[in-house]
Every structure is written in structure tokens, then in C-alpha cells.
Amino acid sequence: TSTYSGMQIQNIVVYLLAVLLISNAIVYFIVAFQEYGDLVEFLQIGINGETKEKYIEISVFVGAALIYLGLVIWVLKSGLKNKNPYMVSAVFAIIMIGRYVACRTIGVPVVGIEYYVGKIDIVSKILQAAIIGIAGYLIFAIRSMCIKEQGISQRSDRRREIE
């Protein structure tokens, strides 16, 4: 039987978070591509009224995808040494969920209220909820490791003082 240490499990969780971040980036690139297809179709048939909305939506979705990819790099480079990429990942996912809720309830400037909820919307929100949960777990795991290290460091300092 093989057993995994807490550190190995936490490293696996870091990679799991990276996979979720990449997955959400892919979802946002897909949505941006779909919006671009809609824009091209609107322009071909002469509907110019919604082009500004489409440009904004494409920019938001591509921007979100790029931010998620940047977070992947930051998460993988930081590992378990720094909780900041996990805090930013969770906060960004919360912001994207909040933006989604606002678009569906009160509306946002230029775009207005969106009424359609598709499968890809649901997938994205599930991924974001998972990102928030896993990032939260890693924040507390790193915090616990720091507290343990400080306790060990303080004990060795006391031992040196006694000697």
C-alpha cells in the first residue's frame, strides 16, 4: 500500500487547480469565438446595432481567458510557497461569477440584461466554484504550513537559548 504525505496531496491539488484554470480559459476562448461568429454573422446581414456589444463581450471573454492562463503560470511557479496566486484565483473567479449574475439580473452597460443561460455558462460557473474551493483549501494549507514552520523555528530558537 502506498500512502501520500500531506505535502504530496497538496502538490496534487495545486496541479488540479491549474487544470481547472486552464479549463476555464478554454471555456472563455470558446465563448469569445462564438461571440465572434455572431458578430461576423450580424455584420454580413447588415445588423450593426449589436456590434458594439459583441466587441465588448469578445474583449471581456478573451481578457478573462488570458487572465486565467496567467494565473496558471503563477500557480505552477509558486507551488506551495506563496498563497497570493490562490487568493487572486479565488477573487477573480468570484468577480467573474458576480459579473455573470449582474448580466443576468440587473444588466450591465452596453450589453444590458442577458436572458440566455447555456450549458457552457453552467460549466464555467461549476469550474469557477471549484476554483474558489480548491484555492481556499490551498490558502489554508499554506497558512497551516507557515504556522507549523514558525512553531518549529521558535522551538529551535528556544533550544539554542537554553544551550
Side-chain angles (χ1 to χ4, degrees):
T1 61
S2 65
T3 58
Y4 293 99
S5 72
M7 187 74 95
Q8 288 172 319
I9 291 170
Q10 290 164 353
N11 281 323
I12 292 168
V13 174
V14 168
Y15 289 114
L16 176 60
L17 179 62
V19 167
L20 292 171
L21 291 167
I22 290 170
S23 299
N24 225 20
I26 291 168
V27 166
Y28 275 104
F29 279 129
I30 290 169
V31 173
F33 182 74
Q34 289 172 343
E35 293 295 330
Y36 176 74
D38 291 347
L39 173 66
V40 169
E41 187 178 319
F42 287 165
L43 291 173
Q44 286 175 345
I45 58 176
I47 299 174
N48 294 323
E50 294 194 28
T51 57
K52 186 176 181 183
E53 171 190 331
K54 291 296 177 190
Y55 283 123
I56 291 171
E57 288 177 343
I58 292 166
S59 299
V60 167
F61 296 138
V62 169
L66 293 173
I67 289 170
Y68 276 118
L69 290 179
L71 287 170
V72 170
I73 294 166
W74 194 17
V75 160
L76 292 176
K77 280 188 172 188
S78 294
L80 295 170
K81 294 176 260 168
N82 182 357
K83 62 185 176 184
N84 291 338
Y86 309 110
M87 289 191 296
V88 173
S89 295
V91 167
F92 186 65
I94 290 167
I95 288 169
M96 294 308 291
I97 290 171
R99 185 201 65 77
Y100 179 82
V101 169
C103 285
R104 298 304 186 271
T105 56
I106 60 173
V108 292
V110 182
V111 177
I113 295 179
E114 296 279 330
Y115 296 104
Y116 177 76
V117 176
K119 290 177 188 168
I120 203 157
D121 297 329
I122 295 166
V123 167
S124 175
K125 298 315 140 212
I126 291 169
L127 289 170
Q128 288 165 338
I131 288 167
I132 293 164
I134 291 173
Y137 167 79
L138 288 167
I139 291 165
F140 286 109
I142 292 169
R143 187 170 173 249
S144 296
M145 288 180 348
C146 290
I147 290 169
K148 285 179 187 175
E149 287 174 7
Q150 286 175 347
I152 292 169
S153 173
Q154 288 173 353
R155 277 187 247 134
S156 26
D157 288 346
R158 280 191 225 123
R159 283 188 191 134
R160 280 191 216 119
E161 289 174 7
I162 295 171
E163 294 171 353

